[in-house]
Amino acid sequence: MIGGLFIYNHKGEVLISRVYRDDIGSQAADSAVFSSSGPFLGERLGGSVRNAVDAFRVNVIHARQQVRSPVTNIARTSFFHVKRSNIWLAAVTKQNVNAAMVFEFLYKMCDVMAAYFGKISEENIKNNFVLIYELLDEILDFGYPQNSETGALKTFITQQGIKSQHQTKEEQSQITSQVTGQIGWRREGIKYRRNELFLDVLESVNLLMSPQGQVLSAHVSGRVVMKSYLSGMPECKFGMNDKIVIEKQGKGTADETSKSGKQSIAIDDCTFHQCVRLSKFDSERSISFIPPDGEFELMRYRTTKDIILPFRVIPLVREVGRTKLEVKVVIKSNFKPSLLAQKIEVRIPTPLNTSGVQVICMKGKAKYKASENAIVWKIKRMAGMKESQISAEIELLPTNDKKKWARPPISMNFEVPFAPSGLKVRYLKVFEPKLNYSDHDVIKWVRYIGRSGIYETRC
Amino acid sequence: MPAVSKGDGMRGLAVFISDIRNCKSKEAEIKRINKELANIRSKFKGDKALDGYSKKKYVCKLLFIFLLGHDIDFGHMEAVNLLSSNKYTEKQIGYLFISVLVNSNSELIRLINNAIKNDLASRNPTFMCLALHCIANVGSREMGEAFAADIPRILVAGDSMDSVKQSAALCLLRLYKASPDLVPMGEWTARVVHLLNDQHMGVVTAAVSLITCLCKKNPDDFKTCISLAVSRLSRIVSSASTDLQDYTYYFVPAPWLSVKLLRLLQCYPPPEDAAVKGRLVECLETVLNKAQEPPKSKKVQHSNAKNAILFETISLIIHYDSEPNLLVRACNQLGQFLQHRETNLRYLALESMCTLASSEFSHEAVKTHIDTVINALKTERDVSVRQRAADLLYAMCDRSNAKQIVSEMLRYLETADYAIREEIVLKVAILAEKYAVDYSWYVDTILNLIRIAGDYVSEEVWYRVLQIVTNRDDVQGYAAKTVFEALQAPACHENMVKVGGYILGEFGNLIAGDPRSSPPVQFSLLHSKFHLCSVATRALLLSTYIKFINLFPETKATIQAVLRAGSQLRNADVELQQRAVEYLTLSSVASTDVLATVLEEMPPFPERESSILAKLKRKKGPGAGSALDDGRRDPSSNDINGGVEPTPSTVSTPSPSADLLGLRAAPPPAAPPASAGAGNLLVDVFDGPAAQPSLGPTPEEAFLSELEPPAPESPMALLADPAPAADPGPEDIGPPIPEADELLNKFVCKNNGVLFENQLLQIGVKSEFRQNLGRMYLFYGNKTSYSSRILTHCGPPGDLQTHLAVQTKRVAAQVDGGAQVQQVLNIECLRDFLTPPLLSVRFRYGGTPQALTLKLPVTINKFFQPTEMAAQDFFQRWKQLSLPQQEAQKIFKANHPMDAEVTKAKLLGFGSALLDNVDPNPENFVGAGIIQTKALQVGCLLRLEPNAQAQMYRLTLRTSKEPVSRHLCELLAQQF
């Protein structure tokens, strides 16, 4: 179980420190601790905890070599960390905990904080530290994660000062019964004049391609995010073109599916929000749930087959003698001409001994960024089935280093308005038997966004 | 030095550094550096030539980036260009970059060397200094090779500036330390010495460092420096503190130079020239006098500088060890420091005094401080100081104060730090032994030691007590009484039980008369401790019990009952079980007479170096020798100090009890008992080679006396022979002639024959061997018709001497033409050996000296004793020697026709007994024998399997010693 939670800024100063168990720190004290800067915020840290805090700073944040593992073991104490921009969140424990649980908790914690005060930055954390301690008290109890549903939390942890005077006893007991009840994520008696829901399918596509255009590895990781404004306790049912479901139905109406030409996709694995009834998914593979109010992530999934690669990068690198390099890169968009890709950015790495670069591109803007050792080519918009080209002449400084340039891959960023995995939302049905609105009265919005993850082509 | 002009500030560099410092994260820093690197690359790429200033700036930035921990792979060329600049700052940055970033790029090194060469040749002192500093900083081999010849020239050149000379001296010192072989010695060495007379103190200081280092290798070259150093030193010492101005440090004139000069003098013995010596003594006295003067300043720097000189002076006095007056004064001075407030001074005083104590002149003076030192041992807060105090007490100990010191150390032991307890225990044990006036005091002390710090008493200490008690009749009774009393304490240390068990087992009868320590009381006292002890101690106690049965027959029933108890007879530990079973059977089967013989008192131990002393030396490392040896100066104490006198060897009745305890010294090729772990329990008491009481010297002495009539024996008689002046000393034996090995092989299986023959000389050999002794007759035949003087020397190669003793008899030096002369060699094999001794023969033929070196035909197999045994025995022993390293096997092709009879003869000649009807295959040969050496016997089994079809042999040898197996196998394999 989590023994304590610390939030550091980039300098390694502690912004938030919350200790749940006494066992941490006593042993981590053994590890080498060189400097100690005072805790930023008021909490007086016990000597032993102080050591755990310092141990993480010395061994991870200020480590000589960048620490790449998110889990670090120092003096039989485990530190799990995630980094959001310049902020480090570290969970500390002495026990053999489920690491996935800890990270899930840390991500959730980030979500909760983002839901309360937006971007996680040093400034925001300093401004909201009372709120953060309140949240930490609520979502972790003796190191065990508790209800971390933003919607539910917001009912009793608010940013608008003390509200209890206005809160009736009734309301308070309602909160208690909701939080401790069966459907902890939604309270009763929600009413909207307009019943509306938004469904976003967000995917990131990852690719590694050989110079010859052979796909070495590719996968899509996607999320379905739902924002619901529905009255009462509605029962929802979500359907998509999952291969297993389609085939199951296909047995009954085989010709119908083939007629409609709907493609089905093979989902490798998926996880659901806690509101989804897993028993029903296991038996019928149907996704039914009572949604929390507001925004939440309904499911996460991953696919590896039949991925639509939105862009193809064709590199051409020619070394002219020891002091010159010619690079030509062609990108081709590979989707319906009616769609528009946005925020396209191609990053072409340059050798470490580059002394000068000349770039010519047909579209967009290209620039040599010395600080990143790369040529960055940006295109605002690009329609499907088009192609564009950049050529660059790189001058090199002869060095006495015999090492050959490692030729890192060309990477790319973009955003496209479709799901590269091929996922389609088939339906989202809403039933609310107690109130007088039906499925047809609900206004539904569906949006697909495909982004690049690590999208690289070797050159 | 040129001042940094305006505009040299390198604003760009300052901005870059402050940018880096302001970076919030590592990523930001890397980005900034990448940007800067790209900028510098584009600048260096540009075809337009950069001016010196920007070049310097960018090289500086590269240097800074490198020092931040990033790789730099360009810019070297620009840095080298900077070297040829005429501006000091640019040159300096260039040299800095090269010192930090130089790598073994051949092309660049050439350019750099060129630039350095130019600078060295320039007459500009600053540039020369820069170049010299660069050479010293890089200090690589390449640099050394390129400039090692130039620098001495600069150093001694008449027109070099002082600062250049100083740099050159230090640079040379650096090169010399890095690779001594590169610095050529030449006529400059003589001139370097004269730098000691230089006007400039800096030059002198640098030169002294250099000379001190150089003279360690070849002291003779720099001998002249002594008088110069002395005069320099006396000038400094006698100067008023204001004379040297820049070199006066807190009122002390040139302290560093003084210290270095004193160090230099310590490389040499006292000066022979009386005048120089007188002047030096005067100097040293002045320093000692000055130490008495009131300090001129209260500053710590003043006293530090003064004391540095003083301590160096004292160590010089100690080094000379010839001026009693000075030594005593030094000792008194140190005595004052012993009570000084400064802990560091007290530490240094104790340390120096430790060396003083070993000088005969000052030993008495040191002793006067005994109370202070003892006080220091008790009250010092710092453990390292206490340690020094203990060392000093050890060093100053002699017969007069031994009792006091030992008792103080014992008292200190109770509260001593754990880290140094073991060392103190060893020291107490040694002192007690060395300066024991009567042995009862010694026994008391050691028993006290075990009582106070039993855990830290190592094996060696209590072994030593047993050895001494066993060897001294007068103390045995007292020891038995004392240990008996000590054992009565309710809780006593296990080491005490061990000592007690052993001593009572041996000498319990001496106190049995007293009803308070009657045999049953002794036994029950020992047995009450039995169950609390470790296995090793219990094993020892079991041996004590069986000895009790012999000493006190009345306890037999009780002891047998104890042995018979299930906890002994069925003990899980093999060793205990075996002892119980064997002892029980022995006590019930053997008659009283047999018991009395078997369990007789241990024979005295042979004399050898105290094992404790050896252990202390190991602990301290080689440096501690001087303090340990001081006891030898006390000639009167030798009789006791040596510990135990060698006892007459008449009492060397074999002690079968030793055999029982696992020391199978007796016949066949029995390896040390297989269950080494168990069997060694008591072996250690006897400690190694001396562990074979049965190998008394009687038989070998008899052998010797019957072999030779008592004749004046002079092992080195030949050395005394008047040798022709042209001849080199007979001791250096040249390398053996190439055929030596082949000649030697002829004699592996035979004892007589012609060892060597050419047209001038014939050497015949006749030899006989018995056990570990041998006698060899060498016949030198002069084949020429002229009389010639033959000079021979033979002996084992240096490292062999502990293995083989060779004594030669005088040889008639003049041999007439055609005549023969005989030489007798007595050979004694002490240990197993692998290389044969060498024989060198010198003679003159036709006016030219001839010399040849041969290998004497003495190989290990000569000391073979054939052993007959039955097939069953053979195979049992064969199996016992089954460890892989005990076996040596060789498969080889026959060089001679395979003839069973010849082979048989060769094997017999080799020395082993041939055993028939052992091997199932009648074609095979099987042999057995024991190699007799003085120290030990090596059982040896061999098996030779001829394969007539393949014309091959397979030879297998198993002996209890690995090198012997291999060596025998090789020797024998060459014979077939």
Side-chain angles (χ1 to χ4, degrees), chain B residues 767-802:
Chain B
S767 55
E768 52 191 57
F769 293 89
R770 204 167 117 192
Q771 291 196 338
N772 66 331
L773 301 171
R775 165 164 297 192
M776 182 174 282
Y777 300 88
L778 292 173
F779 302 94
Y780 301 95
N782 187 346
K783 287 171 74 178
T784 61
S785 45
Y786 309 103
S787 158
S788 173
R789 179 185 283 272
I790 295 184
L791 195 64
T792 66
H793 173 77
C794 69
D799 56 334
L800 194 60
Q801 268 163 12
T802 54

Side-chain angles (χ1 to χ4, degrees), chain B residues 600-720:
Chain B
E600 205 192 359
E601 195 176 297
M602 282 294 184
F605 290 87
E607 192 41 42
R608 77 185 81 100
E609 188 197 22
S610 164
S611 51
I612 318 176
L613 210 54
K615 167 142 185 171
L616 187 66
K617 276 183 190 158
R618 264 205 312 280
K619 237 178 125 59
K620 289 273 220 161
S626 63
L628 298 174
D629 296 340
D630 62 314
R632 291 192 199 136
R633 273 181 294 101
D634 201 353
S636 65
S637 61
N638 272 349
D639 52 344
I640 302 191
N641 282 0
V644 195
E645 298 93 328
T647 37
S649 51
T650 44
V651 276
S652 65
T653 22
S655 166
S657 73
D659 205 351
L660 272 177
L661 302 183
L663 294 165
R664 217 143 283 166
S675 60
N680 282 344
L681 284 176
L682 263 186
V683 176
D684 291 339
V685 181
F686 305 108
D687 195 12
Q692 278 134 336
S694 65
L695 275 183
T698 333
E700 88 188 33
E701 265 180 12
F703 175 58
L704 266 180
S705 55
E706 93 183 25
L707 255 175
E708 60 179 313
E713 218 177 275
S714 48
M716 286 309 195
L718 279 169
L719 296 182

Side-chain angles (χ1 to χ4, degrees), chain A residues 55 101 110 126 148 190 194-195 239 252 269 275 279 328-329 337 380:
Chain A
M101 183 277 282
C110 292
K126 284 180 183 174
S148 53
I190 299 172
R194 237 156 85 103
N195 289 305
D269 52 57
C275 64
S279 55
K328 202 162 122 184
V329 176
K380 278 204 179 114

